[in-house]
Amino acid sequence: MAPRRLLPLVLRLLLLLPGLSSAAEAEPAQLPADMLLAAGVESYARGDWGAVILQMERALRAREAHRARLVQCRLRCSAGNRTGAWPDPSDPQPLQDLRFFGQLLRRAGCLRRCLPDGPSRYLLGEETELEFSKRSPYNYLQVAYFKINKLDKAVAAAHTFFVANPDHMEMRQNLDYYQMMAGVKDSDFVDLEAKPHMQEFRLGVSYYTEERPQESIAHLEKALGEYWVADTTCRALCEGPYDYEGYNYMEYDADLFQAIVDHYMQVLSCKQGCAAELASQPGRDKPIEDFLPSHFNYLQFAYYNSGNYEKAIECAKTYLLFFPNAEVMNQNLAYYTAVLGDNLSSPIHPRENVQTYLQRSLLEKELLFFGYDVFGIPFVDPDTWTPEAVIPKRLREKQKVERETAARISEEIGNLMKEIETLVEEKTKESTDMSKLVREGGSLLYDGLSIVMNSKLLSGSQRVVVDGLISDEECRVLQRLTNAASLAGDGYRGKTSPHTPSETFYGVTVYKALKLGQEGKVPMHGAYLYYNVTEKVRRVMESYFRLDTPLYFSYSHLVCRTAIEDKQEDRTDPSHPVHVDNCILNAEALVCVKEPPAYTFRDYSAILYLNGDFEGGAFYFTELDAKTVTAEVQPQCGRAVGFSSGSENPHGVKAVTKGQRCAIALWFTLDPRHSERERVQADDLVRMLFNTEEAELPPEPAAGQPAPGVTETATQAATVGKDEL
């Protein structure tokens, strides 16, 4: 199913394309990227995965090929145009104008010969360009490659899409799923659209922080080389058709020179924007500040650490072109000069290509600020290093007033937001207080269950300990199932000791256990008991906490932690560090940030213990500081701990120092969109294998499950449980 925002665009394209079915047969180079994208979407709707791959890959290549040709032609025609006769100041004015426009005509003629026939048909509309910038084709490709079992390509496509869309929950679940699959390697998780200059910059900075100056220098210098290539490309792509930006095309009546100014200011503004474009990272709101100058900041110190004072001086002087009053850099330069000596350091100059870059950029800024001042054509300077003298005095005063107004408005908004936050905190406190009084104490539904500790005894809110959920025999059956069906490091990409090197970790999900039972590899009785017990815990949690809406399984995991005998001496680490199930705990700041990569959709958690014949392994709640223990629970067969998954319940597990500790860890969500896909598959398998009327705890119908979107691999994915207790 195609993304909803793409459908109107695709439908329009389908109506415009005669005989779209022939698109796959035509020569790829003859088709524009938007036609190929539309053909790929149509193939996706038909479930023709081979055609999806063919058309989407062609669409990506076609867009890139057209952009490359535009850049090549514009650069070639710009270079060739420098040899003609430019206006001579001594010529009469009419001749000067004619010579100037003669050069423009020759350049336009060069472009006409260089570019393909009908170049406008290759221009992408705003909506289509947005889909490419969001990397939407990779969303389709990851499904198609998954369908034909090319996992390495599916993983690369999924990762490429996710890098630009880090808040896309389904794709994150897909990547979690891929990480668990056999045959998937770390090297498969590559960004196919990575910018070379940004990749090299990151590597250079990482080596810099690791105090490996030689490696840092190599990558930072390569990053600069790639930066100049990317800058040239970006600037060439700015020389496109005029964007009327709110003008009514039919009513636009600018004269010759006004029309030239309007278009040229737009092109110059775009070229200035390349500094921000090249400093931007996909999925991030803001570009890296002072990106280009920062290369020389890192380099000057890396060269110093490697003993190359000549290069250190060159890079320091280059950095000072941008920020001549930078105190620390001037001190560094003075030190390098003193070490090397004036006679050797004085001939060293800033890098010539940076000087040229700055001269060009400052002249462009002067023209743009003039256009802003005289014609009112807006220009937002992307650089912090622009000298104040470049900005006209009248515009500086205007900007000062605008900054003061913006600061005042920002302060007023900030004060208003604080008032709102205070009100929200008060309401939240009231709600929390009410939840302590009202949202607990519901029926336990089943005979033989008893409440051992409630929130009051556990010194918190939304907490409960229940005994008697399963019998001793059922505990033994489930323990045997764990040892027979579980995999080392299940849910952690096979890492046998994911939380501590002093314990091994084995686990199995409900669906995997049922599949193994179906295949006769483990007793079906044990797998079915596992399924029914998790449903029993869900119902008890839902009833006890008096929830108005149903709980959905977010993840279920039957796990055993076993102490490694020869690694217990002088052990100080826990079995599982203190954490919160739906937010990222910062114990030092006493805050818990509810944002990805945390599983923000988890609302309630539960742990059902299968045994108590081991040493250590106690479950405990803490304050937000992760140190102050508020309650402790000793595991035993049939005992369950239930609690809300938010910042009110930080928790951890003490070290298992001897024996094996087994439990079923469960997470629930109130949002059906995040219901565990493996649970739906388990429900289907149970309905197929058993008569549901005979089941002790028949599962609720899955009709409310959301239909999968284009990230269809998510329909195969189970959210990886990273916090088993």
Side-chain angles (χ1 to χ4, degrees):
M1 187 168 116
R4 292 179 183 175
R5 280 179 285 184
L6 255 181
L7 285 175
L9 169 66
V10 171
L11 289 173
R12 289 200 296 274
L13 286 169
L14 292 175
L15 291 171
L16 290 170
L17 302 180
L20 182 62
S21 60
S22 64
E25 301 165 11
E27 183 67 27
Q30 296 175 355
L31 290 175
D34 52 1
M35 289 178 65
L36 292 164
L37 177 64
V41 174
E42 187 194 35
S43 300
Y44 183 91
R46 295 197 311 268
D48 186 349
W49 310 119
V52 171
I53 293 168
L54 179 68
Q55 303 301 354
M56 289 299 176
E57 294 281 12
R58 282 181 173 180
L60 290 165
R61 288 198 301 271
R63 176 174 177 265
E64 191 56 38
H66 178 61
R67 288 161 65 89
R69 188 165 183 178
L70 280 176
V71 171
Q72 182 185 34
C73 289
R74 287 170 182 170
L75 293 177
R76 181 192 303 168
C77 293
S78 173
N81 205 40
R82 295 171 189 153
T83 58
W86 281 94
D88 188 328
S90 62
D91 286 340
Q93 187 62 44
L95 290 181
Q96 289 189 36
D97 288 350
L98 287 171
R99 291 186 193 279
F100 173 76
F101 283 106
Q103 286 285 12
L104 295 186
L105 286 170
R106 278 187 285 275
R107 188 163 175 175
C110 173
L111 287 168
R112 187 182 183 89
R113 291 189 299 273
C114 184
L115 293 171
D117 294 334
S120 61
R121 69 193 286 259
Y122 292 93
L123 292 175
L124 300 181
E126 186 177 339
E127 291 179 62
T128 309
E129 189 61 56
L130 179 62
E131 293 304 326
F132 278 103
S133 67
K134 292 192 304 182
R135 305 186 179 184
S136 293
Y138 291 100
N139 198 349
Y140 291 91
L141 282 168
Q142 66 97 14
V143 176
Y145 277 123
F146 177 79
K147 291 289 188 180
I148 65 171
N149 203 33
K150 290 194 174 183
L151 288 182
D152 57 335
K153 291 183 177 294
V155 171
H159 182 75
T160 301
F161 178 81
F162 185 69
V163 167
N165 303 273
D167 295 327
H168 200 283
M169 187 59 66
E170 286 180 297
M171 193 61 79
R172 183 159 77 88
Q173 291 178 336
N174 288 2
L175 288 169
D176 285 343
Y177 177 68
Y178 286 134
Q179 286 181 329
M180 292 192 299
M181 296 186 71
V184 174
K185 305 183 292 294
D186 288 341
S187 58
D188 294 333
F189 292 82
V190 293
D191 181 4
L192 301 173
E193 294 280 336
K195 302 174 182 177
H197 72 277
M198 189 63 76
Q199 275 189 310
E200 294 296 333
F201 177 76
R202 285 174 176 166
L203 282 170
V205 173
S206 68
Y207 283 124
Y208 177 90
T209 57
E210 292 171 10
E211 297 184 358
R212 296 164 64 181
Q214 293 296 344
E215 292 95 329
S216 177
I217 289 167
H219 286 287
L220 287 170
E221 291 288 11
K222 191 172 181 181
L224 281 170
E226 295 289 355
Y227 183 93
W228 300 125
V229 173
D231 183 63
T232 301
T233 298
C234 179
R235 292 174 62 84
L237 289 171
C238 286
E239 297 172 359
Y242 182 60
D243 182 351
Y244 285 86
E245 288 188 309
Y247 284 114
N248 185 322
Y249 175 79
M250 301 301 294
E251 296 177 2
Y252 183 71
D253 58 357
D255 63 16
L256 172 64
F257 292 102
Q258 182 63 55
I260 291 172
V261 166
D262 286 345
H263 197 165
Y264 191 59
M265 289 294 103
Q266 198 173 88
V267 170
L268 278 189
S269 184
C270 174
K271 289 183 174 183
Q272 278 286 300
C274 287
E277 172 68 23
L278 268 60
S280 298
Q281 303 175 83
R284 304 287 180 87
D285 292 333
K286 296 180 179 179
I288 299 172
E289 192 171 84
D290 303 325
F291 181 59
L292 180 58
S294 69
H295 286 70
F296 298 101
N297 192 4
Y298 285 114
L299 278 169
Q300 58 90 22
F301 202 68
Y303 276 121
Y304 159 70
N305 282 328
S306 63
N308 191 334
Y309 285 92
E310 291 87 351
K311 282 291 186 180
I313 290 172
E314 179 193 58
C315 291
K317 287 184 175 180
T318 304
Y319 181 87
L320 289 169
L321 291 175
F322 295 95
F323 302 103
N325 298 320
E327 184 178 352
V328 173
M329 191 61 73
N330 276 300
Q331 290 173 354
N332 289 356
L333 179 60
Y335 174 77
Y336 302 150
T337 302
V339 172
L340 194 63
D342 286 335
N343 58 329
L344 293 176
S345 59
S346 57
I348 301 173
H349 300 288
R351 296 195 181 184
E352 189 175 344
N353 58 350
V354 177
Q355 294 183 65
T356 304
Y357 172 89
L358 282 168
Q359 289 170 357
R360 181 190 66 192
S361 184
L362 289 173
L363 183 54
E364 288 177 349
K365 291 178 194 293
E366 286 181 15
L367 295 174
L368 286 161
F369 280 124
F370 180 84
Y372 190 2
D373 188 31
V374 176
F375 301 108
I377 301 172
F379 168 58
V380 178
D381 190 351
D383 299 310
T384 63
W385 48 262
T386 303
E388 196 176 65
V390 173
I391 308 172
K393 183 178 179 181
R394 185 171 60 177
L395 194 56
R396 287 203 301 270
E397 293 171 353
K398 180 183 176 184
Q399 287 183 330
K400 181 181 178 182
V401 172
E402 289 175 349
R403 281 196 299 271
E404 290 172 351
T405 303
R408 188 180 69 254
I409 293 172
S410 178
E411 183 180 0
E412 290 173 357
I413 292 173
N415 292 334
L416 181 61
M417 291 302 295
K418 286 179 182 177
E419 291 178 15
I420 293 172
E421 287 174 8
T422 302
L423 288 172
V424 170
E425 286 176 6
E426 290 174 356
K427 288 292 183 184
T428 303
K429 187 176 184 300
E430 290 175 11
S431 175
T432 302
D433 291 341
M434 286 300 293
S435 70
K436 290 179 182 178
L437 295 171
V438 180
R439 305 304 294 179
E440 297 183 34
S443 168
L444 295 181
L445 297 179
Y446 300 93
D447 293 336
L449 273 60
S450 61
I451 296 174
V452 180
M453 302 175 80
N454 58 15
S455 289
K456 185 176 181 180
L457 292 173
L458 290 166
S459 306
S461 66
Q462 297 283 283
R463 301 174 180 179
V464 68
V465 177
V466 179
D467 276 357
L469 272 148
I470 54 176
S471 67
D472 290 345
E473 177 57 30
E474 287 171 326
C475 283
R476 285 191 289 271
V477 169
L478 290 171
Q479 262 195 286
R480 288 196 293 270
L481 174 69
T482 313
N483 292 320
S486 61
L487 299 173
D490 185 59
Y492 293 88
R493 304 197 66 197
K495 293 179 180 177
T496 309
S497 302
H499 302 301
T500 168
S502 304
E503 300 172 17
T504 57
F505 179 97
Y506 285 76
V508 64
T509 63
V510 173
Y511 180 64
K512 286 179 183 176
L514 286 167
K515 286 291 290 180
L516 290 170
Q518 182 188 24
E519 296 165 5
K521 296 178 179 178
V522 299
M524 177 54 81
H525 169 67
Y528 192 35
L529 174 64
Y530 178 15
Y531 173 86
N532 282 329
V533 165
T534 58
E535 177 64 21
K536 186 176 184 179
V537 175
R538 184 192 71 80
R539 290 186 179 184
V540 170
M541 291 281 291
E542 196 175 88
S543 176
Y544 178 79
F545 288 114
R546 300 178 184 269
L547 300 179
D548 298 325
T549 55
L551 285 175
Y552 299 89
F553 287 97
S554 169
Y555 191 62
S556 314
H557 214 189
L558 175 54
V559 299
C560 287
R561 302 163 184 267
T562 306
I564 302 173
E565 288 186 19
D566 60 354
K567 293 188 178 181
Q568 301 306 314
E569 189 176 352
D570 299 325
R571 180 181 174 186
T572 58
D573 64 326
S575 179
H576 197 115
V578 173
H579 60 279
V580 177
D581 286 345
N582 71 5
C583 54
I584 302 168
L585 178 62
N586 184 339
E588 291 183 4
L590 301 179
V591 295
C592 201
V593 183
K594 196 170 182 179
E595 62 181 31
Y599 297 93
T600 56
F601 47 84
R602 290 176 174 173
D603 295 300
Y604 283 86
S605 309
I607 308 100
L608 174 62
Y609 298 108
L610 304 183
N611 67 319
D613 55 341
F614 52 86
E615 294 181 9
F619 174 94
Y620 60 99
F621 290 107
T622 73
E623 300 285 4
L624 276 174
D625 62 5
K627 296 177 182 177
T628 307
V629 176
T630 57
E632 188 171 303
V633 180
Q634 293 297 332
Q636 67 179 45
C637 168
R639 172 170 289 177
V641 182
F643 51 94
S644 54
S645 304
S647 59
E648 66 278 5
N649 284 319
H651 54 277
V653 179
K654 292 187 176 180
V656 178
T657 56
K658 186 177 181 180
Q660 184 184 66
R661 175 191 189 272
C662 296
I664 299 176
L666 300 160
W667 292 270
F668 305 100
T669 177
L670 296 168
D671 187 347
R673 293 174 300 174
H674 296 293
S675 179
E676 179 186 16
R677 178 59 186 171
E678 273 207 16
R679 187 69 188 198
V680 178
Q681 293 173 312
D683 292 342
D684 292 341
L685 186 56
V686 165
R687 276 191 284 269
M688 182 183 76
L689 295 174
F690 302 95
N691 183 335
T692 54
E693 283 75 20
E694 296 176 0
E696 294 175 18
L697 295 166
E700 294 176 354
Q705 297 299 329
V710 66
T711 49
E712 187 169 330
T713 319
T715 66
Q716 307 292 330
T719 306
V720 179
K722 300 294 185 188
D723 300 320
E724 288 85 352
L725 298 179

